[in-house]
Amino acid sequence: MRTAFIDTTTALLDEDPRTALVLADISVSQFAPAGRRHPDRVLNVGIREQLMIGVAGGLALTGLRPIVHSYATFLVDRAYEQIKLDLDHQGVSAVLVSIGASYDAAEEGRTHQSPGDVALFDSLGDGWTVRVPGHPDEVAPLLRDAAAGDDPVYLRLTEQRNAEAYPDADRLRVLRRGGPDAPLVVAVGPMLDTTLDATEGMDVTVAYTHTPRPFDTAGLRALAGTDVVLVEPYLAGTSSAVAGHALADVPHRLLTLGVGRTDLRRYGDAADHARWHGLDAAGLRRTIGAFLGSARG
């Protein structure tokens, strides 16, 4: 996904004079050729993530469309106040593109883990579009769409990936259809393949989206049975309020799965953290099976 982002952004800088790129020392070498061609629109502020957002806000005020890039924990967690003030409060926008996701770089420690990033954008209101691609081939069309617009967009990239791309899955796309009134399991971004493996043989409908904000609430209402399960690659429960509000007048049970709130204080790799948080196929199968089984028991 990172390669797709670099290639697409480089092309956008060549094609569209409105596009600018702001970096804070991450991916600088990969963008060096673009920087030499467009020194006025490719800016590296050094290890100053708050300044990176402030510069993006200033560029946006001049009419440029800034793309801002770093690890999620530096881009969102560390610079949250600047996102709130220098973008939202100023009434300007940018395309924020992160790498690292919840724990891709877990071997670097807690400083490189950002499971709460999407929840932070929810605290800013309902203006942000959040894209969480599940395959590298989804990155280019999502980034191009974001760069062509004027709204604030957060594009969350990860090293985890599904086997197939579904670029049109901004709304819930059904990948496996259960029987009438079957429980609905919604997988966000890179959680799709793991969710499909976990629910193999279960009578459930599995739907996919790479766009959790705005959430496809109409699709959720159309597909939901009595039981709904959300499987997200970031903080567990992040979309519970959205789903609960969408189904407020419909009797339902909701299970939200994602990264746990407890700091594990462990290194390991991404696969280790997925297992520890119950987000591998075996963990999801146990939790989803127990939830659905409790409805019958």
Side-chain angles (χ1 to χ4, degrees), residues 1-5 8 133-141 157-165:
M1 290 189 191
R2 187 178 189 177
T3 300
F5 158 66
T8 304
H135 188 281
D137 288 349
E138 296 173 5
V139 173
L157 308 185
T158 178
E159 294 177 5
Q160 314 309 309
R161 57 178 289 174
N162 302 315
E164 295 186 41

Side-chain angles (χ1 to χ4, degrees), residues 21-280:
L21 175 66
V22 190
L23 304 171
D25 269 4
I26 300 299
S27 302
V28 168
S29 61
Q30 293 93 324
F31 282 112
R36 287 191 290 269
R37 291 194 300 274
H38 311 289
D40 56 333
R41 291 188 287 118
V42 178
L43 308 174
N44 175 31
V45 301
I47 308 175
R48 300 174 179 87
E49 288 83 6
Q50 293 95 333
L51 175 61
M52 176 175 63
I53 299 297
V55 169
L59 293 173
L61 285 169
T62 72
L64 292 176
R65 182 61 164 162
I67 298 172
V68 191
H69 167 64
S70 187
Y71 277 87
T73 188
F74 307 142
L75 178 64
V76 183
D77 300 57
R78 183 172 295 176
Y80 170 76
E81 185 176 13
Q82 281 66 44
I83 295 172
K84 180 178 71 174
L85 298 178
D86 296 348
L87 295 178
D88 265 29
H89 187 64
Q90 296 249 61
V92 296
S93 64
V95 181
L96 308 188
V97 183
S98 72
I99 55 173
S102 292
Y103 41 63
D104 283 355
E107 67 276 6
E108 302 291 340
R110 183 64 171 168
T111 59
H112 282 62
Q113 298 174 28
S114 183
D117 54 348
V118 176
L120 284 173
F121 281 102
D122 279 348
S123 72
L124 294 172
D126 57 4
W128 282 83
T129 294
V130 176
R131 308 279 202 181
V132 184
H135 188 281
D137 288 349
E138 296 173 5
V139 173
L142 294 179
L143 179 56
R144 285 187 169 275
D145 179 72
D150 294 304
D151 296 328
V153 178
Y154 177 49
L155 182 61
R156 187 185 207 258
L157 308 185
T158 178
E159 294 177 5
Q160 314 309 309
R161 57 178 289 174
N162 302 315
E164 295 186 41
Y166 302 95
D168 60 344
D170 53 330
R171 298 189 177 277
L172 293 181
R173 174 168 177 159
V174 174
L175 273 301
R176 181 183 293 157
R177 180 76 68 172
D181 298 320
L184 172 66
V185 182
V186 176
V188 176
M191 296 307 304
L192 173 60
D193 281 4
T194 306
T195 301
L196 288 170
D197 290 345
T199 57
E200 182 68 36
M202 294 184 182
D203 181 21
V204 299
T205 293
V206 178
Y208 169 70
T209 185
H210 53 52
T211 303
R213 298 294 182 275
F215 199 93
D216 179 14
T217 54
L220 180 66
R221 288 179 62 87
L223 293 170
T226 302
D227 295 319
V228 177
V229 180
L230 300 181
V231 185
E232 301 179 281
Y234 33 78
L235 195 65
T238 297
S239 293
S240 58
V242 176
H245 180 74
L247 300 173
D249 62 335
V250 180
H252 70 281
R253 297 193 314 151
L254 177 65
L255 174 65
T256 57
L257 301 177
V259 180
R261 294 177 180 272
T262 301
D263 183 351
L264 299 179
R265 295 184 173 86
R266 299 182 183 178
Y267 286 84
D269 59 20
D272 290 326
H273 281 259
R275 184 175 69 256
W276 293 332
H277 288 287
L279 294 179
D280 60 341

